[in-house]
Amino acid sequence: NAGVTQTPKFRVLKTGQSMTLLCAQDMNHEYMYWYRQDPGMGLRLIHYSVGEGTTAKGEVPDGYNVSRLKKQNFLLGLESAAPSQTSVYFCASTPGQGARETQYFGPGTRLLVL
Amino acid sequence: AQSVTQLGSHVSVSEGALVLLRCNYSSSVPPYLFWYVQYPNQGLQLLLKYTTGATLVKGINGFEAEFKKSETSFHLTKPSAHMSDAAEYFCAVSSNTGGFKTIFGAGTRLFVKA
């Protein structure tokens, strides 16, 4: 099992450019999450999904969109990148309802917006 | 609302010394508590978690944590630090009434001196 994988590992964007981050998991997990990690702030939830075809907003959703067309994939889109979106982005998944479940994290995507 | 406070953004110990990383939480309902570890350039992985039952929880790599409801704490300890323990550690809280959201602390970076 590869677990949770993320593509790309690193990306540099110019302000106003768009991009899509891909998260894939091979554990047949129902729930998937996108977080951003900023120094001194821990992880903050951007969007999450409780199943194929469903998405919901997290704590910091502005400027991001997501899609879950297939159970194993969860895409995070930036339509018009801003320097404030410079961060490390982590995808995670859980097998069932999230509250007591262990989250399985991908290796992260480092994004720099100039 | 739930929150997590990790006391000390940086902790430095000598190899072989006791490791103590402090975590206090706020929750109006019974919490689920987690410690995750992040090694450089990697995603987070679970060290241990408390859901119900025994308040002293043992995790991987010799770490343990004790849930103390009266002190609203979930401190992480290890009797003897090893160089390989150098990493960033995150405390997190969730609950059945918190939806699918896990609240992460800001993190504590552990340095181990030879």
Side-chain angles (χ1 to χ4, degrees):
Chain A
N1 281 353
V4 180
T5 58
Q6 293 183 233
T7 310
K9 288 184 170 53
F10 178 71
R11 185 75 182 268
V12 179
L13 288 180
K14 294 181 179 178
T15 297
Q17 287 185 318
S18 63
M19 78 164 295
T20 299
L21 284 67
L22 171 63
C23 175
Q25 53 94 3
D26 61 3
M27 298 174 285
N28 202 34
H29 285 178
E30 290 292 334
Y31 297 74
M32 297 185 74
Y33 314 82
W34 275 108
Y35 293 93
R36 59 177 289 172
Q37 182 183 31
D38 301 293
M41 301 188 73
L43 276 73
R44 292 181 292 169
L45 183 64
I46 305 171
H47 285 281
Y48 63 96
S49 168
V50 302
E52 183 178 317
T54 71
T55 63
K57 294 180 180 180
E59 181 185 357
V60 289
D62 294 342
Y64 305 96
N65 57 75
V66 289
S67 65
R68 183 109 180 260
L69 299 180
K70 294 183 178 180
K71 184 177 182 178
Q72 62 268 33
N73 294 338
F74 194 28
L75 278 64
L76 178 71
L78 286 73
E79 290 186 347
S80 179
S84 61
Q85 294 178 305
T86 293
S87 188
V88 182
Y89 291 86
F90 288 100
C91 177
S93 69
T94 58
Q97 185 173 347
R100 63 165 60 200
E101 298 282 351
T102 298
Q103 295 195 39
Y104 294 83
F105 286 85
T109 294
R110 291 183 177 274
L111 176 64
L112 174 62
V113 182
L114 302 174
Chain B
Q2 294 179 312
S3 65
V4 174
T5 302
Q6 291 185 239
L7 299 175
S9 58
H10 296 85
V11 170
S12 182
V13 300
S14 297
E15 193 173 20
L18 171 72
V19 175
L20 171 61
L21 304 182
R22 300 178 187 274
C23 173
N24 287 89
Y25 70 91
S26 173
S27 178
S28 58
V29 296
Y32 302 126
L33 295 161
F34 305 79
W35 275 101
Y36 287 88
V37 60
Q38 183 182 31
Y39 298 104
N41 298 314
Q42 294 185 27
L44 282 68
Q45 57 183 275
L46 183 74
L47 265 182
L48 50 80
K49 66 180 179 181
Y50 168 79
T51 54
T52 59
T55 56
L56 181 62
V57 181
K58 295 186 184 299
I60 61 172
N61 300 337
F63 284 92
E64 62 182 37
E66 187 170 10
F67 169 54
K68 291 188 177 180
K69 184 178 178 181
S70 62
E71 299 177 8
T72 60
S73 70
F74 191 57
H75 301 331
L76 182 70
T77 61
K78 181 174 180 177
S80 177
H82 191 273
M83 297 296 288
S84 60
D85 294 326
E88 188 151 22
Y89 293 79
F90 292 91
C91 183
V93 63
S94 67
S95 71
N96 284 331
T97 60
F100 304 102
K101 299 175 184 176
T102 299
I103 307 300
F104 288 83
T108 297
R109 184 165 295 279
L110 175 67
F111 297 92
V112 182
K113 299 175 292 187

